[in-house]
Amino acid sequence: MSKKQSYPGKFITLEGGDGTGKSTQARLLSEFLKEQHKDVLLTREPGGAPGSDDIRQLILTGEPERWDVVGETLLFYASRRNHLRLTVWPALERGDWVISDRFADSTMAYQGYGNQLGVEAVSKIHEVSVGDFEPDLTLILDIDVRKGIARTQGRTNNEDRFEKMDIAVHERMQQGFYEIADKNSHRCVIIDADRPIDEIQAELRKIVRERLLSE
Ligand code: TYD
């Protein structure tokens, strides 16, 4: 059902709270890897595959009460399953370097910790949906949650269901990312995202060079 880690490609995930600048950093990192003559696939969650983009609309729009935390977690994993099956795993099999703007650590941090479904419940759903497949590298962009939310306020789309949630949810989510990084130090690195874009990108490139390109 799941895939064991034996791909010619590499899987890099960018994680963190809202307004940390993940998407910009993911794009710049993909440009760097292309310069290194890698075939790169830049993708995101929720979304990144047929079906998954429809689920994205269901989850991210509307009022916070639209889904409870169980329903929401199942939707994120339904989206993730299609994303893996139809996009990520085929690309890794081809030998691509896949960069995903968010992946499973977001569900653990937001639903598991932030919305308090708990580590055990999220882990169970994860086990069935993803198995022991995991990223080769996870870059967690970290910023003060209030600053991050303030940065998202100018956005013009209506995908703001999570940004409307209580600040306490975001603070638990951030704590969740710290705990995830602690438990998964073999693949996770926390990066201070309260700095200029090029400084953050330089650090990301250094980490990728040291951890993955020198292999
Ligand atoms: P995203 O589009 O990455 O927004 P942003 O660029 O603001 O980070 O993600 C949308 C929201 O979905 C974001 O608030 C985090 C949330 N989310 C979860 O709660 N659980 C998940 O598993 C994922 C992938 C995202």
Side-chain angles (χ1 to χ4, degrees):
M1 190 192 311
S2 70
K3 303 264 172 150
K4 190 68 192 152
Q5 207 98 12
S6 57
Y7 295 107
K10 296 279 180 217
F11 186 39
I12 302 173
T13 55
L14 269 95
E15 297 279 10
D18 294 75
T20 49
K22 282 184 296 39
S23 310
T24 304
Q25 294 299 338
R27 183 175 47 74
L28 293 171
L29 192 59
S30 80
E31 285 168 15
F32 166 70
L33 288 172
K34 283 178 194 160
E35 286 161 21
Q36 310 302 309
H37 310 290
K38 304 296 180 194
D39 291 318
V40 183
L41 178 85
L42 179 58
T43 184
R44 69 166 179 186
E45 287 201 357
S52 303
D53 293 307
D54 302 318
I55 297 175
R56 179 182 179 92
Q57 284 309 304
L58 284 175
I59 309 175
L60 297 186
T61 62
E63 291 309 311
E65 308 74 46
R66 183 178 189 188
W67 305 104
D68 75 355
V69 66
V70 175
E72 181 176 281
T73 302
L74 294 170
L75 285 169
F76 276 118
Y77 269 98
S79 161
R80 180 159 305 133
R81 179 74 195 175
N82 260 22
H83 185 223
L84 287 172
R85 191 171 63 87
L86 302 174
T87 304
V88 176
W89 286 334
L92 293 175
E93 262 156 22
R94 285 196 303 270
D96 289 5
W97 285 54
V98 179
I99 302 175
S100 188
D101 182 351
R102 295 196 183 282
F103 185 61
D105 296 325
S106 280
T107 318
M108 185 57 87
Y110 279 80
Q111 283 66 50
Y113 288 85
N115 282 329
Q116 297 180 302
L117 181 58
V119 172
E120 203 185 326
V122 176
S123 300
K124 279 184 190 160
I125 300 170
H126 182 91
E127 173 58 30
V128 174
S129 323
V130 177
D132 54 12
F133 173 76
E134 64 175 10
D136 296 288
L137 177 63
T138 298
L139 302 161
I140 301 174
L141 301 190
D142 183 42
I143 196 167
D144 176 82
V145 290
R146 282 188 173 77
K147 263 193 194 171
I149 292 169
R151 280 192 190 177
T152 66
Q153 296 307 310
R155 289 187 189 172
T156 49
N157 66 23
N158 61 348
E159 293 182 344
D160 61 353
R161 201 174 140 254
F162 282 86
E163 286 141 28
K164 282 194 242 167
M165 286 180 187
D166 202 23
I167 191 78
V169 174
H170 288 267
E171 280 169 353
R172 286 195 297 267
M173 170 273 289
Q174 183 178 42
Q175 200 53 44
F177 275 124
Y178 296 153
E179 289 182 27
I180 291 165
D182 215 41
K183 284 186 207 158
N184 297 278
S185 55
H186 61 287
R187 67 172 170 88
C188 292
V189 185
I190 294 183
I191 289 113
D192 173 9
D194 195 5
R195 291 183 294 164
I197 289 174
D198 53 351
E199 230 178 82
I200 299 169
Q201 181 62 205
E203 186 175 341
L204 300 190
R205 290 180 181 192
K206 184 167 178 281
I207 294 165
V208 169
R209 237 189 240 110
E210 286 171 0
R211 294 211 176 201
L212 299 179
L213 284 168
S214 58
E215 276 178 2

